[in-house]
């Protein structure tokens, strides 16, 4: 009989993320190790850390004009993926395209 484990998604608010990030700061662990231990995704970790460092309320709204936006860690899904493309829409018909590989 095969058993599978399901990870429950827990919706955390800004204050809960502040507590988590505070625990991370004192943990001495890497982001990957901390996220694995806490059962959270590294994507959520980076997103919330960026929001809270920027002094935001934690609401997922658009960044203020001129504000820094942390895109998190960009990595290739497969080592054979030789090309990485990122396009940012800067508004008013202006786009910035970055290509690696």
């Amino acid at each position: 009989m095969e058993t599978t484990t399901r990870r429950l998604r827990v919706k955390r608010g800004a204050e809960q993320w502040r507590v988590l990030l505070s625990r991370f700061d004192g943990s001495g662990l890497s982001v990957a190790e901390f996220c694995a231990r806490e059962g959270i995704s590294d994507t959520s970790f980076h997103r919330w850390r960026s929001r809270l460092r920027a002094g935001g309320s934690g609401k997922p709204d658009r960044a203020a004009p001129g504000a820094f936006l942390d895109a998190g860690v960009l990595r290739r899904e497969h080592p054979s993926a030789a090309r990485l493309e990122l396009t940012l829409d800067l508004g008013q018909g202006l786009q910035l395209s970055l290509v690696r590989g």
Side-chain angles (χ1 to χ4, degrees):
M1 180 175 186
E2 186 177 322
T3 60
T4 58
T5 326
R6 283 191 136 177
R7 185 181 288 186
L8 293 175
R9 290 183 184 241
V10 177
K11 185 167 175 98
R12 295 176 175 90
E15 189 55 39
Q16 291 170 312
W17 276 101
R18 282 185 188 91
V19 170
L20 270 173
L21 293 170
S22 177
R23 284 204 323 252
F24 167 74
D25 288 340
S27 72
L29 299 172
S30 70
V31 171
E33 292 167 332
F34 181 80
C35 290
R37 184 182 80 182
E38 295 292 329
I40 58 178
S41 76
D42 59 344
T43 303
S44 293
F45 176 92
H46 288 292
R47 185 181 321 118
W48 275 97
R49 183 166 63 173
S50 176
R51 284 182 191 165
L52 295 174
R53 280 185 179 169
S57 65
K59 293 179 182 175
D61 50 21
R62 301 183 76 143
F68 176 76
L69 179 62
D70 184 355
V73 178
L74 299 177
R75 61 179 158 222
R76 297 176 182 170
E77 293 297 320
H78 301 285
S80 63
R83 186 173 176 93
L84 175 66
E85 294 184 37
L86 176 66
T87 302
L88 302 173
D89 184 351
L90 302 173
Q92 298 179 349
L94 185 61
Q95 290 187 334
L96 172 65
S97 295
L98 304 171
V99 179
R100 179 177 75 185

